[in-house]
Amino acid sequence: MSTLVVEELDDRVVVTLRRPEARNAINAAMIGELHEVCASLEERPRLLLLTGGGGTFAAGADIGELRRRGREQALQGINSRLFDRIARLPLPTVAAVDGYALGGGAELAYACDIRLASPSAVFGNPEPGLGILAAAGACWRLRELAGASVAKQVLLAGRRLDADDALRFGLVAEVVPAGDLLKRAHAVLDRMARSGQLALRLTKLVADGGGHPLTDDLAQAILFESDEKAQRMDAFLAGGRS
């Protein structure tokens, strides 16, 4: 791949954005390659760790490409369809954010289930300054993640959230020294990987669906009949660890 470094492990895939000449700005080639990653994870569900190379997560979308897009491209939702696909991946996703996550880069991070940040991380959506809006999820995902007031400060007033802000508002789970960021992200994934995969998958599906007692009951009914449930509970009752 020309814009990504992809490392495939048994239980996870690690994807590093790699466009150093453009501070990892998201262009059409990167979008296509991320769709390939999604297709692989849909066919064989695994955890996903998403990060950026060279001390930057992603400094936005490729402005040169955006300048050439018109109404038809906007209606295609080129970036939003990808980010929605990432958000709907079967198993959890973690974004390890070092440096700038701006514009489309911020929206990519927002689409992940959990975000970790280095002290130099900066989140922002400066799209209105370019005469457009943050149309790939920020207008509603950021509101869900950090609340309406914070979202409007970012989206309307151009506020950028540094790592401390992001932690205080719940946008990121932890702030970790840059040298330990990937190690810590892997530790989070390790903890997830110790859970039952089907239980993890259904929990994400139910949580993302907004919750409903019937949905909870149906998902639990599937899990109650699974071999893994019986094996894990037997191990627990026998004094082992699940």
Side-chain angles (χ1 to χ4, degrees):
M1 293 187 173
S2 64
T3 70
L4 306 176
V5 176
V6 179
E7 181 183 6
E8 300 206 26
L9 305 172
D10 287 341
D11 62 357
R12 72 198 63 176
V13 173
V14 182
V15 174
T16 304
L17 310 182
R18 185 189 63 184
R19 290 191 70 214
E21 74 286 357
R23 296 191 299 174
N24 300 332
I26 300 169
N27 66 352
M30 185 180 289
I31 289 169
E33 291 176 2
L34 284 169
H35 273 298
E36 291 182 35
V37 171
C38 288
S40 174
L41 291 172
E42 289 160 354
E43 181 178 352
R44 182 189 164 202
R46 284 161 289 168
L47 303 166
L48 172 65
L49 172 55
L50 190 59
T51 192
T56 299
F57 184 73
D62 189 294
I63 303 301
E65 289 188 359
L66 286 179
R67 177 63 181 83
R68 294 189 294 272
R69 291 181 188 173
R71 177 181 59 195
E72 293 304 316
Q73 288 73 36
L75 291 174
Q76 292 170 22
I78 294 171
N79 289 14
S80 64
R81 299 299 183 272
L82 169 66
F83 300 162
D84 286 348
R85 191 175 187 182
I86 290 171
R88 292 194 307 270
L89 285 172
L91 289 175
T93 58
V94 173
V97 179
D98 185 23
Y100 287 119
L102 302 177
E107 291 178 304
L108 175 57
Y110 301 158
C112 292
D113 295 306
I114 294 174
R115 287 151 296 282
L116 305 181
S118 76
S120 67
V122 178
F123 298 86
N125 290 96
E127 284 89 343
L130 295 169
I132 59 175
L133 63 84
C139 286
W140 53 276
R141 280 201 179 98
L142 185 56
R143 182 188 183 104
E144 292 178 353
L145 293 169
S149 177
V150 172
K152 288 184 178 182
Q153 291 174 54
V154 173
L155 296 165
L156 302 179
R159 178 175 179 177
R160 292 186 177 185
L161 304 179
D162 63 20
D164 290 338
D165 290 334
L167 181 64
R168 186 167 70 254
F169 297 134
L171 182 59
V172 303
E174 297 180 49
V175 176
V176 184
D180 296 328
L181 184 59
L182 290 182
K183 179 180 178 181
R184 182 59 188 150
H186 276 290
V188 172
L189 292 171
D190 289 342
R191 190 164 65 242
M192 292 177 177
R194 290 194 290 271
S195 295
Q197 186 178 100
L198 182 59
L200 205 60
R201 183 170 181 173
L202 290 179
T203 298
K204 175 175 175 174
L205 194 64
V206 170
D208 284 345
H212 188 283
L214 179 58
T215 307
D216 292 359
D217 291 346
L218 290 172
Q220 193 74 299
I222 294 170
L223 292 170
F224 270 15
E225 295 297 321
S226 69
D227 291 338
E228 187 171 44
K229 173 250 189 179
Q231 293 165 4
R232 285 175 173 266
M233 289 193 175
D234 286 347
F236 179 86
L237 292 171
R241 296 182 63 184
S242 61

